[in-house]
Amino acid sequence: MKKFTSLFTAALFLSGTALTFAGNKCEVIIPGNHAPMHFKLAANVHEGDYLPTTVIFKVKPQYRQNCKINSVDNILPLQDYLNSVGATKVAKIYPHVEAPAQERNALGQKLVDLSLIYSFKFTSGLNLEKVINGMLSLGYFEYVEPWYVPKLHAVCTPNDPSLGSQYHIQGNVTGSIDVKGTAWCTTNGSASFIVGITDTGTELTHPDLAANVYHNTADPVDGSDNDADGYIDDYNGWDVGMNDNDPTWQGNNHGVMTSGDACAVTNNSTGVSSPGFNTKFIMCKIADASGALVAAYQGIQWLADFSAKHGNIVQMISNSWGGSGGGSYGQNIIDYAAINNNILVMASAGNNGVEDQTYPSSYNNIYRVSASTSTDNMAGFSSYGLDVDYCAPGNNVYSTTSGAGYQSASGTSMACPVSAGGAALIQSVKNYTNAFQIGEQMKQTCDPMPSATQYPLGKLGKGRIDINNALTQAAKSILVNPVTVTDNNDNIFDVGETIDISGIFTNYLDPSSSSATATLSTYSVSAGPNPTITNGSFTIGALATLATTNNNASPFTAVLSASAPINQTVRFKIHITDGTFTGDTYFDILVNPDYINITINDLHTTITSKGRIGYNNDGQVNGLGVEYENPSPQALLYESSLMIGASSTKVSDMFRDASTGNTDFGSTVRVKQVLPATVSDFDVDGSFNDAPATTSGPIPVSVHHNAYAWQTAPYRKFVIVKYVITNTGASTLSGLYAGIMSDWDVPNANSGQDKASWDVPNKMGYVYWVGNNLYAATKVLTNSAPPNCHVVDNVSGGNGDIDPTTNFTTADKYKALSVLRASDGFSATGGDVMNCVSSGPFTVNAGDSVTVAFALIGGDNLADIQATACAAQDKWDNSCSTGVFENGETDNFWAYAYPSPATTNVNIAYNVIGYEHAAIRIMNSLGEVVMTYENIQQGRNTLTLDASKLSAGNYFFQLKAGEAVLTKRFSVMK
């Protein structure tokens, strides 16, 4: 159960089926690492793997007071958003579950709170990913995910119904779990031990199952909830798939087979035997009438709560299903059963026949079971990997089936309940106090499988379970979980850095000796040199059963190679030894990433090494997007990239064309944080060129780029990006434009309710959500060429303009760079909008350069982003008020002029509120009045002057309102 934490869809594992968990699993904590709140379906998750119009979300604990059974009240942005997507049936999934009374258990493991988990339905036709990301952008949730629907992977081959054909439960026979004539001589199990099974349902009247069905006698079938557990007449179990008290199978008889695999009645002169012998089972049906697993994780929760409410009677839960899509929600449910409720949770590894991750089996705190054969080989259909704990017979396992029948079946779906029945035998003798002890005793006493080629590689766990060994042999087991990796700085693991690795070591079985030791090594790397382990040993020492220790005071250390390639994946292994006991835990880190996250102020984003902004890869992968904190991070961006265009046939960019992003830019100097910072509080530097351009060929140009961010007000709501563009060709480039093309979703996934416009005085293109006060903007800072904004309607036909939905062509992109379209073409209710904010045209001689800079801005309203635009301009060239009031200025009385120096127009932005009369006078350097503007409009406004009417030189403007007078300088250049 040595687990590592990452994320998948589900499927019942009868022969035939990703958060990446590496190896023997453990939770990995990277302190302070900003986790982007964005969701994207895994590539191998497809329609049908999830309910298309259903979302699961978990509310953050600080909003608990807003959480009602059928609503989350008094959070207006959430209510507005739910209304916008046509949300119905908003309700807690587990209304009868109460929050844990304490945060952690005695071993320091964090208890899981299921009382804050909800689901809802949304309007058919909306994009699931965008609805989820829209929820995430609100900032009120720990996670928002699809409702994954597991599937059956059943290949059932009828066989001779003979007890002798049950090789898997013979004694001292190759391939068996060694119960007949051995383990059964020690114990026949006990009816007081109960295996919980989540599946398609069982057959309550089957002659070889009926006597071992657990009956909740505290709640007989009489129409009343006699035991007050929240479920009426749960006498035979429960059906969470259809919310009734009948766990009889429907649509697929898979659950009838797994029931018999674990707990068929034994020694009754009827049919087959089972490892559990006298062990009872309780079925929680998780399927709808068709057999689709629509409530898989609710089944685990129901069994966990049922156990707790009835005296902790369920010792283990068998889950013969899984798939390739998952998330934090699934991990929450596993932790809730395993940690909160002290239940051994097992799951089938999957039937893909490859090394992979499947869920729930690859989650932390669960035992992953692969399938073995009668010859102690791995079944050819079985999935495997470093996170497998052990194998159990899963090939041609003869058991019960529907209609009071029997048949053979193959799959890891068989292996999992076989091991669950064996675990029940172990617990009937050992009576462990911690559920992980049951799993570890079974795992550590496995028989090796030397003929299985994956076994020596550690990809079949400890081998095939042997229940007689588990009952008769002493065993040790020390696990490390969680593991914390840090560089004691920003936790971006850069070349040459030293990282510290620490963990909590728990001894689950027999006391360890003073020589128990943990050793760190590198297991594999994706490419390039290994890190150098500088402290790779820790003496665990003598630990009593269920005692813990840690190496926080003397962590493992490793120096990352100075020549590590970009985006190198390094897998580490912690190898624990104590005499004959060995155990391995694996975890991955990413070294030398070619992107960097900026999170020091209220505008978070990711700067990449190749011209993208927000995300390093297509599909919102590897990055933060653009997030604005108000007060929690609100995701604003789907995609963004620098675009440089020389003509309608020559544009270099990383923005999408037909469906995926171009790859016209390539890094020449990886982006990195500049330490110490010299311009801002967080300086970023890197270089790239357009040599990789293939669509229209290189322009050619190279780009030296920087990013700057500040921590103090009023500079917290923007990040500046600067590009020095050099003509690397032999000819002069004329008509050159540079701009930032952005697909804004404000908030993210709310693409149907946005409006866009162009703020001429502030040289700022902005997008806002019509449903609330949330704005995103891109502002031109440089004055070396005219600014431009082109708003693109991301809808078929483009509302008569550019249509980016079929193919965003090179000509379209040059048009977006060079042609003004100041607003969108949608109605007041908004739509899905993009914009390109640019500057040009430039004429750049061969070898010469031009500088273009922009500010990325987030804000609460138009006035807010305009003030931020001013602050950003001030940081760039001191030509605008910083937002900090100068002498004589107040909230209701301030002004500033821009640009300065001006060539054609000069703008005077001002705010006058509460005065009877206001005027602006323009004076030359001698104090002579050259222009006068009386009775100017009150409020926040901008007065634009024709600077061509003024001679070159210095000027003053004077704002007078009542007795208040404010005088400031600007200049004109010819």
Side-chain angles (χ1 to χ4, degrees):
M1 195 279 330
K2 8 91 189 158
K3 314 279 173 168
F4 169 90
T5 311
S6 281
L7 305 164
F8 89 96
T9 87
L12 288 175
F13 288 133
L14 254 147
S15 181
T17 195
L19 159 94
T20 298
F21 288 82
N24 288 347
K25 295 161 271 185
C26 66
E27 179 186 3
V28 173
I29 302 170
I30 300 177
N33 213 22
H34 183 88
M37 291 293 286
H38 300 301
F39 173 82
K40 183 172 178 60
L41 286 168
N44 58 349
V45 176
H46 306 289
E47 186 173 342
D49 292 332
Y50 52 86
L51 296 178
T53 59
T54 307
V55 168
I56 291 172
F57 64 92
K58 185 174 184 180
V59 179
K60 290 180 179 178
Q62 58 263 44
Y63 304 107
R64 184 183 303 280
Q65 71 276 9
N66 303 96
C67 294
K68 312 302 180 186
I69 290 179
N70 293 306
S71 64
V72 181
D73 294 340
N74 299 320
I75 301 179
L76 185 58
L78 172 59
Q79 293 166 349
D80 289 344
Y81 182 79
L82 292 175
N83 289 336
S84 74
V85 299
T88 61
K89 299 182 180 179
V90 180
K92 286 188 176 184
I93 300 178
Y94 307 110
H96 306 297
V97 178
E98 297 182 356
Q102 57 192 28
E103 184 179 6
R104 297 181 180 273
N105 66 6
L107 296 180
Q109 295 167 309
K110 188 173 182 179
L111 301 175
V112 173
D113 183 3
L114 302 187
S115 68
L116 300 176
I117 300 176
Y118 288 76
S119 67
F120 69 87
K121 299 277 187 180
F122 60 85
T123 301
S124 177
L126 296 180
N127 180 275
L128 175 63
E129 289 180 347
K130 288 208 165 189
V131 171
I132 289 174
N133 282 316
M135 287 285 289
L136 287 171
S137 71
L138 299 177
Y140 301 112
F141 312 108
E142 289 190 6
Y143 54 78
V144 185
E145 297 172 358
W147 189 299
Y148 290 108
V149 180
K151 298 175 182 176
L152 299 176
H153 290 277
V155 177
C156 306
T157 305
N159 204 340
D160 183 11
S162 168
L163 181 60
S165 68
Q166 289 186 280
Y167 75 91
H168 65 289
I169 54 175
Q170 304 303 311
N172 296 316
V173 173
T174 300
S176 80
I177 65 172
D178 203 8
V179 289
K180 181 181 177 182
T182 52
W184 284 343
C185 294
T186 301
T187 179
N188 291 151
S190 170
S192 63
F193 289 89
I194 301 172
V195 174
I197 299 175
T198 61
D199 217 302
T200 59
T202 191
E203 189 167 279
L204 297 171
T205 59
H206 194 292
D208 231 7
L209 295 175
N212 274 353
V213 174
Y214 174 81
H215 296 296
N216 177 20
T217 57
D219 195 7
V221 181
D222 62 2
S224 299
D225 184 10
N226 297 282
D227 56 1
D229 66 356
Y231 298 90
I232 298 173
D233 298 346
D234 52 348
Y235 175 76
N236 294 314
W238 197 256
D239 180 353
V240 294
M242 300 183 71
N243 195 31
D244 60 47
N245 68 338
D246 185 6
T248 300
W249 73 276
Q250 290 174 279
N252 191 305
N253 66 358
H254 183 273
V256 184
M257 292 181 282
T258 58
S259 299
D261 290 332
C263 294
V265 182
T266 305
N267 196 34
N268 64 345
S269 300
T270 302
V272 296
S273 301
S274 72
F277 208 103
N278 290 325
T279 304
K280 299 286 187 180
F281 75 96
I282 182 170
M283 173 62 67
C284 186
K285 178 174 170 286
I286 58 176
D288 61 16
S290 71
L293 307 188
V294 297
Y297 289 99
Q298 292 95 306
I300 298 175
Q301 174 272 333
W302 186 88
L303 285 167
D305 275 5
F306 180 86
S307 176
K309 292 171 183 176
H310 295 276
N312 301 316
I313 58 175
V314 178
Q315 280 75 38
M316 57 278 306
I317 299 176
S318 176
N319 306 282
S320 290
W321 47 268
S324 54
S328 299
Y329 167 66
Q331 183 67 69
N332 266 186
I333 302 304
I334 300 306
D335 291 348
Y336 181 74
I339 298 175
N340 292 36
N341 291 281
N342 194 29
I343 296 174
L344 174 66
V345 188
M346 295 160 282
S348 47
N351 300 323
N352 295 325
V354 296
E355 181 178 356
D356 63 2
Q357 285 83 44
T358 58
Y359 300 87
S361 69
S362 290
Y363 280 127
N364 194 17
N365 299 317
I366 194 171
Y367 285 78
R368 189 180 191 199
V369 189
S370 287
S372 59
T373 69
S374 61
T375 60
D376 262 350
N377 213 319
M378 186 192 79
F381 55 77
S382 181
S383 294
Y384 58 93
L386 291 171
D387 58 357
V388 168
D389 292 281
Y390 54 77
C391 297
N395 190 57
N396 289 324
V397 174
Y398 190 66
S399 183
T400 54
T401 191
S402 56
Y406 303 89
Q407 71 177 50
S408 289
S410 296
T412 56
S413 276
M414 309 296 107
C416 184
V418 165
S419 71
L425 284 187
I426 296 170
Q427 182 64 352
S428 71
V429 172
K430 298 292 187 178
N431 199 25
Y432 288 119
T433 59
N434 187 286
F436 293 146
Q437 293 176 285
I438 310 170
E440 288 304 297
Q441 181 67 19
M442 185 161 59
K443 181 175 70 177
Q444 300 301 336
T445 55
C446 284
D447 288 334
M449 300 168 61
S451 62
T453 56
Q454 296 83 2
Y455 174 74
L457 301 175
K459 297 177 181 179
L460 292 177
K462 288 291 185 176
R464 189 250 312 134
I465 62 172
D466 187 313
I467 303 305
N468 188 55
N469 285 350
L471 291 173
T472 59
Q473 293 181 3
K476 293 181 179 181
S477 176
I478 303 171
L479 303 179
V480 54
N481 184 15
V483 171
T484 300
V485 185
T486 179
D487 64 359
N488 298 303
N489 183 23
D490 57 4
N491 291 317
I492 297 171
F493 305 131
D494 212 342
V495 294
E497 283 191 324
T498 297
I499 58 172
D500 291 349
I501 301 169
S502 59
I504 297 175
F505 299 83
T506 302
N507 180 34
Y508 283 97
L509 297 177
D510 288 357
S512 63
S513 72
S514 59
S515 60
T517 303
T519 304
L520 177 73
S521 63
T522 52
Y523 180 79
S524 67
V525 294
S526 58
N530 282 315
T532 301
I533 307 296
T534 51
N535 179 22
S537 182
F538 171 65
T539 300
I540 299 171
L543 286 178
T545 302
L546 295 181
T548 66
T549 189
N550 63 72
N551 66 330
N552 295 344
S554 182
F556 300 123
T557 56
V559 178
L560 306 177
S561 173
S563 57
I566 290 173
N567 296 330
Q568 180 188 45
T569 298
V570 177
R571 175 163 293 177
F572 288 94
K573 178 173 75 172
I574 298 177
H575 181 66
I576 301 175
T577 60
D578 185 15
T580 60
F581 164 75
T582 62
D584 296 318
T585 296
Y586 305 85
F587 60 92
D588 296 344
I589 67 168
L590 183 68
V591 177
N592 198 18
D594 63 345
Y595 58 93
I596 190 166
N597 296 335
I598 300 178
T599 61
I600 69 163
N601 60 20
D602 297 333
L603 200 286
H604 306 165
T605 193
T606 297
I607 303 299
T608 75
S609 295
K610 49 185 182 291
R612 291 186 192 271
I613 296 172
Y615 299 102
N616 198 42
N617 297 103
D618 284 334
Q620 297 184 299
V621 175
N622 294 336
L624 307 178
V626 173
E627 297 177 341
Y628 168 62
E629 288 202 48
N630 75 334
S632 58
Q634 307 291 309
L636 308 176
L637 180 75
Y638 183 80
E639 179 184 5
S640 184
S641 171
L642 173 70
M643 289 203 313
I644 303 173
S647 69
S648 60
T649 60
K650 284 282 187 181
V651 175
S652 294
D653 67 286
M654 301 292 284
F655 204 81
R656 65 181 179 267
D657 41 33
S659 58
T660 59
N662 280 347
T663 54
D664 292 340
F665 294 134
S667 174
T668 54
V669 178
R670 184 181 61 87
V671 70
K672 62 183 178 180
Q673 183 181 1
V674 178
L675 294 172
T678 58
V679 176
S680 68
D681 297 323
F682 194 100
D683 292 2
V684 174
D685 184 90
S687 297
F688 56 88
N689 61 30
D690 71 339
T694 56
T695 303
S696 58
I699 291 175
V701 291
S702 65
V703 182
H704 181 194
H705 64 116
N706 299 95
Y708 307 113
W710 288 264
Q711 290 181 299
T712 57
Y715 312 116
R716 292 185 54 83
K717 296 184 178 184
F718 65 88
V719 171
I720 288 177
V721 287
K722 169 189 170 185
Y723 304 99
V724 179
I725 303 168
T726 301
N727 178 0
T728 57
S731 303
T732 297
L733 294 174
S734 300
L736 189 76
Y737 288 84
I740 294 178
M741 184 74 210
S742 302
D743 183 353
W744 297 104
D745 289 339
V746 182
N748 194 274
N750 193 56
S751 58
Q753 299 181 45
D754 289 343
K755 295 284 289 177
S757 191
W758 173 231
D759 182 340
V760 177
N762 286 300
K763 300 183 294 183
M764 177 173 65
Y766 64 91
V767 175
Y768 64 96
W769 179 25
V770 299
N772 206 336
N773 290 330
L774 193 60
Y775 281 65
T778 307
K779 169 184 166 51
V780 179
L781 294 170
T782 42
N783 293 309
S784 48
N788 185 70
C789 177
H790 196 106
V791 177
V792 177
D793 295 351
N794 193 14
V795 64
S796 179
N799 281 332
D801 188 59
I802 294 170
D803 179 1
T805 62
T806 54
N807 186 13
F808 197 10
T809 66
T810 299
D812 290 337
K813 291 177 178 180
Y814 191 74
K815 179 179 180 181
L817 285 166
S818 58
V819 177
L820 176 68
R821 187 174 187 248
S823 60
D824 63 82
F826 292 110
S827 67
T829 58
D832 188 354
V833 297
M834 309 191 298
N835 68 8
C836 181
V837 177
S838 60
S839 183
F842 297 99
T843 299
V844 187
N845 295 325
D848 284 351
S849 300
V850 62
T851 298
V852 184
F854 305 89
L856 308 174
I857 297 171
D860 302 317
N861 50 58
L862 180 58
D864 189 24
I865 63 170
Q866 287 173 331
T868 299
C870 176
Q873 191 69 55
D874 181 74
K875 277 298 184 185
W876 178 253
D877 60 7
N878 295 310
S879 66
C880 193
S881 169
T882 64
V884 175
F885 296 129
E886 300 178 11
N887 291 336
E889 291 183 311
T890 67
D891 284 325
N892 295 331
F893 182 71
W894 53 259
Y896 59 88
Y898 68 95
S900 180
T903 55
T904 55
N905 292 324
V906 61
N907 304 293
I908 300 175
Y910 67 89
N911 193 35
V912 175
I913 298 176
Y915 295 90
E916 292 183 0
H917 175 268
I920 290 178
R921 297 190 303 170
I922 310 301
M923 299 173 289
N924 61 23
S925 58
L926 301 176
E928 298 169 335
V929 175
V930 295
M931 293 181 182
T932 301
Y933 300 87
E934 298 289 345
N935 296 315
I936 61 174
Q937 185 177 354
Q938 299 226 2
R940 181 181 179 123
N941 293 285
T942 300
L943 178 66
T944 300
L945 313 180
D946 185 356
S948 66
K949 296 180 179 180
L950 301 174
S951 302
N954 293 324
Y955 292 84
F956 298 90
F957 75 87
Q958 187 176 79
L959 173 64
K960 188 174 187 302
E963 298 300 319
V965 178
L966 182 66
T967 303
K968 290 191 175 182
R969 191 178 72 171
F970 67 93
S971 60
V972 173
M973 180 176 66
K974 298 295 186 180

